[in-house]
Amino acid sequence: MKYSKYLKIALGSALLLSPFIFSACKSVKVPAGVQVVDNFDIKSYSGKWYEIARFDFKHEKDMDQVTAEYTLNEDGSVNVLNKGFDTVKQEWKESEGKAKFVGDTNRGALKVSFFGPFYSGYNVVAMDPAYENVLVFGESTDYIWFLSRNKTMPDAVKNKFMKMAKDAGYDLNRLVWTKQ
C-alpha cells in the first residue's frame, strides 16, 4: 500500500517534468533561412580556433583570450574544449562539451552540449576553403562567433562576415571583439 503512494508521486513527477525533459533532448534544427556550409569536413575543422568576436552571454562574459578546440571522437561526435581568461576574476576558465551533427556529416550543422542532454545549435555558415576563418551562428540571433586559426582576422573577412550577419538579422551593435 505504501509503495502505491510513492509510485503515484513518481508518476506524477514524471508527467510534470516530461515536457522539460523532451524539450531538452529534442533535436536542434538549423534556423529558418540559414544556409550552412556544404562539403564540410570535420577533420579539417578539428584543432584550435581563436575567437575573434562574439555576442556576450553569461558563460563568456568578461572573457578574453578565448579559444575553442575541436577533436573528433571515435563515435563520430566531437569533443569541444573552450578556454578563456576571466578578466574580472583574473583566472583561466575552461568548459568541455560534446558536439554532434544534425543530419549529414558533410554539412556544417551541429548541436553542442556543455550540460548533459541540453543541446544548442552550432551552425557553420561561412568558411574559407582553407579552413582558416569561420562564421558560426547559433540557433537564434542571440549567438554568433567569428573564429580564426590565427589571433587576428583580415578586415576583408570581418567585413564579409558582418554583412552576412546583418543580412541574417543580427544586431551588430552587440558584437564584442575578443582581445587575444
Side-chain angles (χ1 to χ4, degrees):
M1 189 90 150
K2 68 178 179 180
Y3 292 111
S4 65
K5 177 181 174 184
Y6 294 115
L7 182 60
K8 286 179 184 177
I9 292 171
L11 286 173
S13 297
L15 287 173
L16 285 173
L17 293 174
S18 63
F20 301 107
I21 293 168
F22 289 124
S23 68
C25 298
K26 72 179 181 177
S27 177
V28 176
K29 297 192 182 338
V30 178
V34 171
Q35 296 296 317
V36 298
V37 170
D38 284 320
N39 300 317
F40 182 79
D41 178 23
I42 192 60
K43 289 181 183 174
S44 297
Y45 194 80
S46 294
K48 187 175 189 173
W49 292 89
Y50 293 93
E51 182 185 86
I52 303 302
R54 69 171 182 273
F55 279 0
D56 241 353
F57 62 101
K58 77 177 187 177
H59 298 294
E60 282 194 69
K61 189 105 174 111
D62 302 313
M63 300 281 273
D64 282 342
Q65 301 177 58
V66 178
T67 61
E69 191 157 352
Y70 304 95
T71 309
L72 186 60
N73 296 320
E74 286 185 21
D75 67 358
S77 66
V78 179
N79 188 70
V80 181
L81 181 62
N82 290 342
K83 294 182 182 178
F85 186 74
D86 186 321
T87 60
V88 173
K89 294 183 179 178
Q90 292 292 297
E91 65 185 19
W92 287 95
K93 290 187 174 181
E94 68 178 45
S95 183
E96 191 165 5
K98 181 190 277 191
K100 297 179 180 182
F101 282 92
V102 177
D104 295 333
T105 58
N106 66 344
R107 296 182 66 242
L110 295 100
K111 58 184 182 177
V112 66
S113 174
F114 292 94
F115 312 104
F118 302 97
Y119 281 87
S120 185
Y122 182 97
N123 301 293
V124 179
V125 297
M127 183 170 53
D128 54 37
Y131 288 75
E132 289 292 316
N133 300 291
V134 65
L135 175 60
V136 178
F137 288 170
E139 62 188 36
S140 73
T141 55
D142 286 328
Y143 302 98
I144 187 172
W145 296 270
F146 292 25
L147 304 175
S148 180
R149 296 288 189 183
N150 304 297
K151 291 183 178 185
T152 61
M153 181 180 281
D155 286 339
V157 176
K158 285 182 197 174
N159 292 336
K160 175 184 171 185
F161 287 177
M162 286 191 298
K163 181 177 180 348
M164 290 179 72
K166 183 177 181 185
D167 291 348
Y170 283 82
D171 176 6
L172 297 181
N173 292 320
R174 295 180 53 202
L175 210 53
V176 173
W177 296 95
T178 307
K179 294 177 186 165
Q180 287 290 347

PDB file of all heavy atoms in Angstrom, residues 29-31 33-40 102 104 106-110 122-127 135-138 164:
ATOM      1  N   LYS A  29      17.496  22.174 -34.578  1.00  0.00           N
ATOM      2  CA  LYS A  29      17.386  22.390 -36.016  1.00  0.00           C
ATOM      3  C   LYS A  29      18.120  23.667 -36.418  1.00  0.00           C
ATOM      4  O   LYS A  29      18.349  24.550 -35.618  1.00  0.00           O
ATOM      5  CB  LYS A  29      15.925  22.477 -36.418  1.00  0.00           C
ATOM      6  CG  LYS A  29      15.162  21.185 -36.143  1.00  0.00           C
ATOM      7  CD  LYS A  29      13.832  21.212 -36.820  1.00  0.00           C
ATOM      8  CE  LYS A  29      12.959  20.040 -36.593  1.00  0.00           C
ATOM      9  NZ  LYS A  29      13.425  18.806 -36.197  1.00  0.00           N
ATOM     10  N   VAL A  30      18.452  23.736 -37.686  1.00  0.00           N
ATOM     11  CA  VAL A  30      19.062  24.931 -38.258  1.00  0.00           C
ATOM     12  C   VAL A  30      17.968  25.985 -38.388  1.00  0.00           C
ATOM     13  O   VAL A  30      16.854  25.673 -38.846  1.00  0.00           O
ATOM     14  CB  VAL A  30      19.675  24.610 -39.636  1.00  0.00           C
ATOM     15  CG1 VAL A  30      20.270  25.843 -40.273  1.00  0.00           C
ATOM     16  CG2 VAL A  30      20.733  23.520 -39.505  1.00  0.00           C
ATOM     17  N   PRO A  31      18.218  27.232 -37.965  1.00  0.00           N
ATOM     18  CA  PRO A  31      17.185  28.271 -38.058  1.00  0.00           C
ATOM     19  C   PRO A  31      16.705  28.489 -39.497  1.00  0.00           C
ATOM     20  O   PRO A  31      17.466  28.314 -40.451  1.00  0.00           O
ATOM     21  CB  PRO A  31      17.892  29.533 -37.545  1.00  0.00           C
ATOM     22  CG  PRO A  31      19.054  29.039 -36.756  1.00  0.00           C
ATOM     23  CD  PRO A  31      19.457  27.741 -37.381  1.00  0.00           C
ATOM     24  N   GLY A  33      15.914  29.987 -42.933  1.00  0.00           N
ATOM     25  CA  GLY A  33      16.615  30.961 -43.761  1.00  0.00           C
ATOM     26  C   GLY A  33      18.131  30.922 -43.659  1.00  0.00           C
ATOM     27  O   GLY A  33      18.817  31.641 -44.370  1.00  0.00           O
ATOM     28  N   VAL A  34      18.668  30.087 -42.788  1.00  0.00           N
ATOM     29  CA  VAL A  34      20.123  29.997 -42.620  1.00  0.00           C
ATOM     30  C   VAL A  34      20.657  28.821 -43.444  1.00  0.00           C
ATOM     31  O   VAL A  34      20.160  27.703 -43.317  1.00  0.00           O
ATOM     32  CB  VAL A  34      20.510  29.825 -41.134  1.00  0.00           C
ATOM     33  CG1 VAL A  34      21.990  29.516 -40.985  1.00  0.00           C
ATOM     34  CG2 VAL A  34      20.144  31.072 -40.358  1.00  0.00           C
ATOM     35  N   GLN A  35      21.625  29.101 -44.271  1.00  0.00           N
ATOM     36  CA  GLN A  35      22.272  28.069 -45.072  1.00  0.00           C
ATOM     37  C   GLN A  35      23.610  27.730 -44.430  1.00  0.00           C
ATOM     38  O   GLN A  35      24.438  28.615 -44.229  1.00  0.00           O
ATOM     39  CB  GLN A  35      22.496  28.559 -46.507  1.00  0.00           C
ATOM     40  CG  GLN A  35      21.213  28.841 -47.262  1.00  0.00           C
ATOM     41  CD  GLN A  35      20.389  27.581 -47.467  1.00  0.00           C
ATOM     42  OE1 GLN A  35      20.907  26.533 -47.806  1.00  0.00           O
ATOM     43  NE2 GLN A  35      19.085  27.694 -47.249  1.00  0.00           N
ATOM     44  N   VAL A  36      23.804  26.466 -44.113  1.00  0.00           N
ATOM     45  CA  VAL A  36      25.081  26.042 -43.538  1.00  0.00           C
ATOM     46  C   VAL A  36      26.033  25.633 -44.658  1.00  0.00           C
ATOM     47  O   VAL A  36      25.625  25.394 -45.796  1.00  0.00           O
ATOM     48  CB  VAL A  36      24.903  24.886 -42.530  1.00  0.00           C
ATOM     49  CG1 VAL A  36      24.037  25.326 -41.365  1.00  0.00           C
ATOM     50  CG2 VAL A  36      24.353  23.646 -43.193  1.00  0.00           C
ATOM     51  N   VAL A  37      27.313  25.549 -44.316  1.00  0.00           N
ATOM     52  CA  VAL A  37      28.346  25.167 -45.265  1.00  0.00           C
ATOM     53  C   VAL A  37      28.129  23.719 -45.703  1.00  0.00           C
ATOM     54  O   VAL A  37      27.905  22.837 -44.872  1.00  0.00           O
ATOM     55  CB  VAL A  37      29.745  25.328 -44.609  1.00  0.00           C
ATOM     56  CG1 VAL A  37      30.828  24.725 -45.467  1.00  0.00           C
ATOM     57  CG2 VAL A  37      30.021  26.788 -44.313  1.00  0.00           C
ATOM     58  N   ASP A  38      28.162  23.491 -47.012  1.00  0.00           N
ATOM     59  CA  ASP A  38      28.153  22.139 -47.565  1.00  0.00           C
ATOM     60  C   ASP A  38      29.592  21.691 -47.769  1.00  0.00           C
ATOM     61  O   ASP A  38      30.516  22.512 -47.743  1.00  0.00           O
ATOM     62  CB  ASP A  38      27.405  22.104 -48.898  1.00  0.00           C
ATOM     63  CG  ASP A  38      25.898  22.163 -48.708  1.00  0.00           C
ATOM     64  OD1 ASP A  38      25.389  21.525 -47.780  1.00  0.00           O
ATOM     65  OD2 ASP A  38      25.235  22.863 -49.504  1.00  0.00           O
ATOM     66  N   ASN A  39      29.797  20.427 -48.017  1.00  0.00           N
ATOM     67  CA  ASN A  39      31.142  19.853 -48.177  1.00  0.00           C
ATOM     68  C   ASN A  39      32.015  20.145 -46.959  1.00  0.00           C
ATOM     69  O   ASN A  39      33.198  20.425 -47.076  1.00  0.00           O
ATOM     70  CB  ASN A  39      31.816  20.368 -49.460  1.00  0.00           C
ATOM     71  CG  ASN A  39      31.020  19.995 -50.685  1.00  0.00           C
ATOM     72  OD1 ASN A  39      30.537  18.867 -50.797  1.00  0.00           O
ATOM     73  ND2 ASN A  39      30.843  20.937 -51.586  1.00  0.00           N
ATOM     74  N   PHE A  40      31.394  20.101 -45.804  1.00  0.00           N
ATOM     75  CA  PHE A  40      32.072  20.346 -44.534  1.00  0.00           C
ATOM     76  C   PHE A  40      32.884  19.106 -44.161  1.00  0.00           C
ATOM     77  O   PHE A  40      32.396  17.984 -44.257  1.00  0.00           O
ATOM     78  CB  PHE A  40      31.026  20.648 -43.459  1.00  0.00           C
ATOM     79  CG  PHE A  40      31.584  20.967 -42.111  1.00  0.00           C
ATOM     80  CD1 PHE A  40      32.095  22.219 -41.838  1.00  0.00           C
ATOM     81  CD2 PHE A  40      31.590  20.018 -41.097  1.00  0.00           C
ATOM     82  CE1 PHE A  40      32.590  22.534 -40.583  1.00  0.00           C
ATOM     83  CE2 PHE A  40      32.076  20.309 -39.840  1.00  0.00           C
ATOM     84  CZ  PHE A  40      32.585  21.582 -39.587  1.00  0.00           C
ATOM     85  N   VAL A 102      23.822  17.447 -36.926  1.00  0.00           N
ATOM     86  CA  VAL A 102      22.386  17.465 -37.133  1.00  0.00           C
ATOM     87  C   VAL A 102      22.192  17.096 -38.602  1.00  0.00           C
ATOM     88  O   VAL A 102      22.383  17.923 -39.480  1.00  0.00           O
ATOM     89  CB  VAL A 102      21.783  18.857 -36.834  1.00  0.00           C
ATOM     90  CG1 VAL A 102      20.285  18.865 -37.128  1.00  0.00           C
ATOM     91  CG2 VAL A 102      22.067  19.281 -35.411  1.00  0.00           C
ATOM     92  N   ASP A 104      23.355  15.208 -42.065  1.00  0.00           N
ATOM     93  CA  ASP A 104      24.542  14.734 -42.776  1.00  0.00           C
ATOM     94  C   ASP A 104      25.833  15.283 -42.183  1.00  0.00           C
ATOM     95  O   ASP A 104      25.909  16.461 -41.830  1.00  0.00           O
ATOM     96  CB  ASP A 104      24.477  15.129 -44.259  1.00  0.00           C
ATOM     97  CG  ASP A 104      23.350  14.452 -45.004  1.00  0.00           C
ATOM     98  OD1 ASP A 104      22.955  13.348 -44.592  1.00  0.00           O
ATOM     99  OD2 ASP A 104      22.869  15.041 -45.990  1.00  0.00           O
ATOM    100  N   ASN A 106      28.472  15.903 -43.746  1.00  0.00           N
ATOM    101  CA  ASN A 106      29.178  16.782 -44.680  1.00  0.00           C
ATOM    102  C   ASN A 106      28.547  18.174 -44.739  1.00  0.00           C
ATOM    103  O   ASN A 106      28.867  18.973 -45.617  1.00  0.00           O
ATOM    104  CB  ASN A 106      29.233  16.154 -46.074  1.00  0.00           C
ATOM    105  CG  ASN A 106      27.867  16.019 -46.713  1.00  0.00           C
ATOM    106  OD1 ASN A 106      26.841  16.105 -46.055  1.00  0.00           O
ATOM    107  ND2 ASN A 106      27.852  15.808 -48.010  1.00  0.00           N
ATOM    108  N   ARG A 107      27.675  18.473 -43.779  1.00  0.00           N
ATOM    109  CA  ARG A 107      27.073  19.805 -43.650  1.00  0.00           C
ATOM    110  C   ARG A 107      27.500  20.400 -42.314  1.00  0.00           C
ATOM    111  O   ARG A 107      27.605  19.685 -41.320  1.00  0.00           O
ATOM    112  CB  ARG A 107      25.548  19.732 -43.697  1.00  0.00           C
ATOM    113  CG  ARG A 107      25.014  19.227 -45.032  1.00  0.00           C
ATOM    114  CD  ARG A 107      23.489  19.207 -45.083  1.00  0.00           C
ATOM    115  NE  ARG A 107      22.977  20.573 -45.013  1.00  0.00           N
ATOM    116  CZ  ARG A 107      22.194  21.015 -44.029  1.00  0.00           C
ATOM    117  NH1 ARG A 107      21.817  20.247 -43.052  1.00  0.00           N
ATOM    118  NH2 ARG A 107      21.772  22.258 -44.034  1.00  0.00           N
ATOM    119  N   GLY A 108      27.705  21.695 -42.276  1.00  0.00           N
ATOM    120  CA  GLY A 108      28.161  22.381 -41.067  1.00  0.00           C
ATOM    121  C   GLY A 108      27.062  22.669 -40.070  1.00  0.00           C
ATOM    122  O   GLY A 108      27.051  23.737 -39.451  1.00  0.00           O
ATOM    123  N   ALA A 109      26.136  21.743 -39.897  1.00  0.00           N
ATOM    124  CA  ALA A 109      25.043  21.888 -38.923  1.00  0.00           C
ATOM    125  C   ALA A 109      25.297  20.918 -37.782  1.00  0.00           C
ATOM    126  O   ALA A 109      25.212  19.704 -37.963  1.00  0.00           O
ATOM    127  CB  ALA A 109      23.698  21.598 -39.584  1.00  0.00           C
ATOM    128  N   LEU A 110      25.621  21.481 -36.613  1.00  0.00           N
ATOM    129  CA  LEU A 110      25.885  20.650 -35.439  1.00  0.00           C
ATOM    130  C   LEU A 110      25.058  21.150 -34.265  1.00  0.00           C
ATOM    131  O   LEU A 110      24.476  22.238 -34.312  1.00  0.00           O
ATOM    132  CB  LEU A 110      27.370  20.701 -35.079  1.00  0.00           C
ATOM    133  CG  LEU A 110      28.328  20.114 -36.110  1.00  0.00           C
ATOM    134  CD1 LEU A 110      28.960  21.222 -36.925  1.00  0.00           C
ATOM    135  CD2 LEU A 110      29.392  19.301 -35.432  1.00  0.00           C
ATOM    136  N   TYR A 122      24.768  24.919 -33.452  1.00  0.00           N
ATOM    137  CA  TYR A 122      26.099  25.422 -33.818  1.00  0.00           C
ATOM    138  C   TYR A 122      26.180  25.261 -35.325  1.00  0.00           C
ATOM    139  O   TYR A 122      26.376  24.170 -35.839  1.00  0.00           O
ATOM    140  CB  TYR A 122      27.176  24.595 -33.110  1.00  0.00           C
ATOM    141  CG  TYR A 122      28.604  25.040 -33.364  1.00  0.00           C
ATOM    142  CD1 TYR A 122      29.260  25.855 -32.458  1.00  0.00           C
ATOM    143  CD2 TYR A 122      29.297  24.631 -34.499  1.00  0.00           C
ATOM    144  CE1 TYR A 122      30.578  26.244 -32.667  1.00  0.00           C
ATOM    145  CE2 TYR A 122      30.609  25.029 -34.730  1.00  0.00           C
ATOM    146  CZ  TYR A 122      31.236  25.824 -33.808  1.00  0.00           C
ATOM    147  OH  TYR A 122      32.541  26.211 -34.022  1.00  0.00           O
ATOM    148  N   ASN A 123      25.969  26.375 -36.040  1.00  0.00           N
ATOM    149  CA  ASN A 123      25.828  26.337 -37.491  1.00  0.00           C
ATOM    150  C   ASN A 123      26.957  27.089 -38.188  1.00  0.00           C
ATOM    151  O   ASN A 123      27.063  28.303 -38.081  1.00  0.00           O
ATOM    152  CB  ASN A 123      24.479  26.935 -37.881  1.00  0.00           C
ATOM    153  CG  ASN A 123      23.340  26.185 -37.245  1.00  0.00           C
ATOM    154  OD1 ASN A 123      23.099  25.041 -37.558  1.00  0.00           O
ATOM    155  ND2 ASN A 123      22.662  26.827 -36.305  1.00  0.00           N
ATOM    156  N   VAL A 124      27.783  26.345 -38.897  1.00  0.00           N
ATOM    157  CA  VAL A 124      28.880  26.935 -39.670  1.00  0.00           C
ATOM    158  C   VAL A 124      28.271  27.461 -40.961  1.00  0.00           C
ATOM    159  O   VAL A 124      27.859  26.683 -41.825  1.00  0.00           O
ATOM    160  CB  VAL A 124      29.987  25.897 -39.950  1.00  0.00           C
ATOM    161  CG1 VAL A 124      31.106  26.520 -40.768  1.00  0.00           C
ATOM    162  CG2 VAL A 124      30.523  25.322 -38.639  1.00  0.00           C
ATOM    163  N   VAL A 125      28.199  28.796 -41.089  1.00  0.00           N
ATOM    164  CA  VAL A 125      27.508  29.401 -42.234  1.00  0.00           C
ATOM    165  C   VAL A 125      28.445  30.002 -43.261  1.00  0.00           C
ATOM    166  O   VAL A 125      28.047  30.266 -44.392  1.00  0.00           O
ATOM    167  CB  VAL A 125      26.464  30.452 -41.772  1.00  0.00           C
ATOM    168  CG1 VAL A 125      25.378  29.780 -40.932  1.00  0.00           C
ATOM    169  CG2 VAL A 125      27.108  31.579 -41.008  1.00  0.00           C
ATOM    170  N   ALA A 126      29.702  30.225 -42.899  1.00  0.00           N
ATOM    171  CA  ALA A 126      30.684  30.739 -43.862  1.00  0.00           C
ATOM    172  C   ALA A 126      32.071  30.299 -43.419  1.00  0.00           C
ATOM    173  O   ALA A 126      32.388  30.311 -42.228  1.00  0.00           O
ATOM    174  CB  ALA A 126      30.632  32.259 -43.952  1.00  0.00           C
ATOM    175  N   MET A 127      32.860  29.910 -44.407  1.00  0.00           N
ATOM    176  CA  MET A 127      34.213  29.448 -44.092  1.00  0.00           C
ATOM    177  C   MET A 127      35.034  29.514 -45.360  1.00  0.00           C
ATOM    178  O   MET A 127      34.536  29.191 -46.447  1.00  0.00           O
ATOM    179  CB  MET A 127      34.144  28.014 -43.564  1.00  0.00           C
ATOM    180  CG  MET A 127      35.465  27.452 -43.143  1.00  0.00           C
ATOM    181  SD  MET A 127      35.256  25.883 -42.282  1.00  0.00           S
ATOM    182  CE  MET A 127      34.272  24.968 -43.435  1.00  0.00           C
ATOM    183  N   LEU A 135      32.516  31.675 -39.764  1.00  0.00           N
ATOM    184  CA  LEU A 135      31.406  32.386 -39.141  1.00  0.00           C
ATOM    185  C   LEU A 135      30.415  31.334 -38.658  1.00  0.00           C
ATOM    186  O   LEU A 135      29.972  30.473 -39.428  1.00  0.00           O
ATOM    187  CB  LEU A 135      30.728  33.316 -40.152  1.00  0.00           C
ATOM    188  CG  LEU A 135      29.461  34.038 -39.688  1.00  0.00           C
ATOM    189  CD1 LEU A 135      29.725  34.934 -38.477  1.00  0.00           C
ATOM    190  CD2 LEU A 135      28.861  34.847 -40.836  1.00  0.00           C
ATOM    191  N   VAL A 136      30.073  31.394 -37.363  1.00  0.00           N
ATOM    192  CA  VAL A 136      29.165  30.428 -36.752  1.00  0.00           C
ATOM    193  C   VAL A 136      27.960  31.173 -36.184  1.00  0.00           C
ATOM    194  O   VAL A 136      28.120  32.129 -35.430  1.00  0.00           O
ATOM    195  CB  VAL A 136      29.873  29.637 -35.628  1.00  0.00           C
ATOM    196  CG1 VAL A 136      28.897  28.672 -34.963  1.00  0.00           C
ATOM    197  CG2 VAL A 136      31.093  28.909 -36.152  1.00  0.00           C
ATOM    198  N   PHE A 137      26.771  30.713 -36.549  1.00  0.00           N
ATOM    199  CA  PHE A 137      25.527  31.217 -35.982  1.00  0.00           C
ATOM    200  C   PHE A 137      25.006  30.182 -34.993  1.00  0.00           C
ATOM    201  O   PHE A 137      25.123  28.975 -35.231  1.00  0.00           O
ATOM    202  CB  PHE A 137      24.449  31.404 -37.052  1.00  0.00           C
ATOM    203  CG  PHE A 137      24.654  32.558 -37.996  1.00  0.00           C
ATOM    204  CD1 PHE A 137      23.851  32.667 -39.118  1.00  0.00           C
ATOM    205  CD2 PHE A 137      25.620  33.522 -37.793  1.00  0.00           C
ATOM    206  CE1 PHE A 137      24.002  33.723 -40.009  1.00  0.00           C
ATOM    207  CE2 PHE A 137      25.789  34.576 -38.681  1.00  0.00           C
ATOM    208  CZ  PHE A 137      24.973  34.682 -39.786  1.00  0.00           C
ATOM    209  N   GLY A 138      24.402  30.660 -33.915  1.00  0.00           N
ATOM    210  CA  GLY A 138      23.715  29.758 -33.003  1.00  0.00           C
ATOM    211  C   GLY A 138      22.349  29.416 -33.556  1.00  0.00           C
ATOM    212  O   GLY A 138      22.065  29.662 -34.729  1.00  0.00           O
ATOM    213  N   MET A 164      27.089  39.403 -43.741  1.00  0.00           N
ATOM    214  CA  MET A 164      26.264  38.194 -43.692  1.00  0.00           C
ATOM    215  C   MET A 164      25.407  38.166 -42.420  1.00  0.00           C
ATOM    216  O   MET A 164      24.228  37.815 -42.465  1.00  0.00           O
ATOM    217  CB  MET A 164      27.148  36.940 -43.754  1.00  0.00           C
ATOM    218  CG  MET A 164      27.797  36.725 -45.091  1.00  0.00           C
ATOM    219  SD  MET A 164      28.854  35.260 -45.080  1.00  0.00           S
ATOM    220  CE  MET A 164      27.593  33.976 -45.052  1.00  0.00           C
TER     221      MET A 164
END
